[in-house]
Amino acid sequence: MQEEVANMSVGPGNKPGKKGVARLLAAANYSKQGLVAAWRNEEAFRQEVIGTCLVVPLALWAGETPAERAILIAVVMFVLPIELINSAIEATVDRIGAEKHPLAKIAKDTGSAAVAVGLFAAFLVWCCILIPKLPL
């Protein structure tokens, strides 16, 4: 019996739970629940979704090639998962405790910095693509 236990491989592929299509459907449902929770509870996420909805048509109009359009849209959309991760960090830290702790501050500030870096990267890419097109 001990040999059987010792020979069993333990790893991500051997996790208990749903497998195959059932796992994919469950994961899609969890993702939907996460998006709904972020929309309901995170003003920054709502603002970034609305901003994305506003600039995607601009990207389609301003980009001259399919590659430019894709880049302009992608850099803006990449801010959304960064914001979702930041929200997850904040929720986890808040769940652990409400007292102020230096490590909790670092976690929250670092998540916020990730969003800021993503927004700055999007701004730079838009500037690099659009400024040369301005009639200066």
Side-chain angles (χ1 to χ4, degrees):
M1 180 70 160
Q2 287 179 335
E3 278 184 33
E4 289 176 23
V5 172
N7 290 330
M8 291 177 61
S9 81
V10 177
N14 293 324
K15 291 186 341 187
K18 296 178 172 79
K19 304 282 187 207
V21 175
R23 187 194 65 78
L24 293 174
L25 292 174
N29 188 48
Y30 300 144
S31 296
K32 181 191 80 146
Q33 291 174 16
L35 287 169
V36 168
W39 181 264
R40 286 184 181 158
N41 300 306
E42 298 295 333
E43 184 175 358
F45 181 71
R46 289 191 301 273
Q47 291 169 342
E48 289 157 359
V49 168
I50 291 166
T52 298
C53 290
L54 294 174
V55 299
V56 165
L58 179 60
L60 294 171
W61 175 77
E64 290 182 7
T65 66
E68 281 186 353
R69 291 181 196 112
I71 291 167
L72 290 170
I73 292 168
V75 295
V76 172
M77 291 194 70
F78 282 145
V79 172
L80 299 176
I82 298 169
E83 182 63 50
L84 290 168
I85 292 167
N86 181 44
S87 297
I89 291 168
E90 288 181 354
T92 301
V93 169
D94 291 346
R95 168 64 176 92
I96 291 169
E99 72 279 353
K100 294 191 183 280
H101 190 281
L103 292 176
K105 179 172 177 27
I106 290 170
K108 287 186 168 194
D109 290 351
T110 304
S112 179
V115 175
V117 168
L119 287 167
F120 185 66
F123 174 77
L124 284 179
V125 169
W126 274 69
C127 287
C128 288
I129 291 176
L130 298 182
I131 286 176
K133 298 173 191 246
L134 294 176
L136 301 176

